[in-house]
Amino acid sequence: MTVGPRKGALHPPASIAVVGGGQLGRMFIQAAQAMGFRAGALTLTPETPAAQVADWTVQGPSDDLATLRALAERAEAVTVEFENVSAAALRWLAKRRIVRPGWRTLWTCQNRLREKTFLARHDVPHAPWRPVRSADELAAAVRALGTPMVLKTSSSGYDGRGQVRVDAEADAADAWAILGRPPCVAEGWVEFVAEASVVVARGGDGRASAFPIALNHHERHILDSSTAPAAVGPIVAQEARETALGVAQALDAVGVLCVEFFITADGRLLVNEIAPRPHNSGHLTIEAGLSSQFDQQVRALCGLPLGSCDLVRPAAMVNLLGDVWAGGEPRWGRALEDPGVKLHLYGKHTPKPGRKMGHLTVLDETPDGALTRAREARRRLMEKN
């Protein structure tokens, strides 16, 4: 007999879970445990960042029926730490347990063709684009968008993976071949002056709140730093938050969602991507927020009132990639000479170039002051002497 999801809010010490074993799952579990919940993870191996801190784990692929049954036996409510989860698996699980965000939200955001179609249908400003599923569509995209343009795989791309810049019409076919000729989105080139993001928390009752807009800097397509609140002016900041809240509402997303933006020289905001989960640019809310993005994820999942998205002080976060280990073990004490530096390591055993291993956060009187101190702390921990 199928047991439907429990009605009403969940309270500690209920058992809840996250699908995924990475650092976002780890920080969700830590936030849940701080609130008194028992928190588990569905993960492929027992040594993932989330599994290391979980009260319990279920091991196996998320699209396996036996694994899903085991998860449903342990957890009363389930969330995700990444969007590339089987929508069919979440739909099956939602008949038995609370699942937030819902499978439709994930299904839309895990495929760029569906995501771009969603943005266009709801008149959300975004970069011009065309679908590429055949050689004819590729040629039509080049004619419509011109060059340079960017080819992005419709699924499974992140941190710059699965995308190629096309600088000339003659290069388009080769660029598509480099990607393996999968279904793609072709995006027109956007001359932006800044990248930003807004993290939104939305409850099952439709009430939602947005964190202040964060200014993001990328290196090699990987987020290097975030500062909040972003110095973009009150009109742009308000428009970004309203747009992000509108996206969450249109998706009927319950939980935490991040909307990433390009900001053009004339102050226009164009939505770049949607992440239906906590986001790297929101990590600074762990120290800077009255409620962190992970606190909000727990609250929304359990049907509890959302916390405040206000920041106690301006803040900056810098990522620690595997490159930091290139000269040997980082000198953690040197980074922590600044007493305001907060160190977060994710428990990953093998540092690799471009792999996110941890982050540093600093609170200061100004976002720029926080960023200067955070970057200086990262520089010190890489010193050899």
Side-chain angles (χ1 to χ4, degrees), residues 122-183:
H122 291 277
D123 296 321
V124 178
H126 58 285
W129 68 282
R130 291 292 186 276
V132 174
R133 294 159 295 197
S134 66
D136 287 344
E137 286 190 335
L138 177 61
V142 173
R143 289 194 300 270
L145 302 173
T147 56
M149 71 177 192
V150 181
L151 270 180
K152 297 181 178 181
T153 57
S154 62
S155 60
S156 301
Y158 67 98
D159 287 346
R161 296 173 178 85
Q163 59 180 271
V164 177
R165 173 170 162 157
V166 180
D167 287 308
E169 181 177 353
D171 300 333
D174 288 341
W176 194 32
I178 289 171
L179 295 174
R181 297 188 180 89

Side-chain angles (χ1 to χ4, degrees), residues 1 15 18 20 22 71 86 115 131 157 167 188 239 241 253-254 279-280 310 353:
M1 181 179 69
S15 185
V18 60
L71 181 63
S86 166
E115 184 176 273
D167 287 308
E239 183 182 1
R241 294 175 81 171
V254 179
H279 191 261
N280 197 170
D310 291 343

Side-chain angles (χ1 to χ4, degrees), residues 227 316 338 362 366-378 380:
T227 56
D338 181 336
V362 175
T366 66
D368 285 345
L371 181 60
T372 297
R373 291 168 59 193
R375 285 177 169 167
E376 175 61 19
R378 183 172 60 183
R380 287 197 304 269

Side-chain angles (χ1 to χ4, degrees), residues 224-259:
D224 179 71
S225 66
S226 293
T227 56
V232 294
I235 301 301
V236 172
Q238 181 179 348
E239 183 182 1
R241 294 175 81 171
E242 289 181 355
T243 299
L245 287 165
V247 167
Q249 185 71 25
L251 279 170
D252 194 24
V254 179
V256 170
L257 173 143
C258 180
V259 179

Side-chain angles (χ1 to χ4, degrees), residues 281-306:
S281 65
H283 289 352
L284 57 80
T285 64
I286 295 174
E287 280 83 26
L290 287 173
S291 297
S292 77
Q293 63 173 345
F294 300 102
D295 295 333
Q296 302 285 44
Q297 188 182 21
V298 174
R299 287 169 176 254
L301 174 62
C302 296
L304 299 171
L306 296 176

Side-chain angles (χ1 to χ4, degrees), residues 54-65:
D55 292 305
W56 54 267
T57 61
V58 171
Q59 293 177 38
S62 62
D63 59 355
D64 174 72
L65 184 57

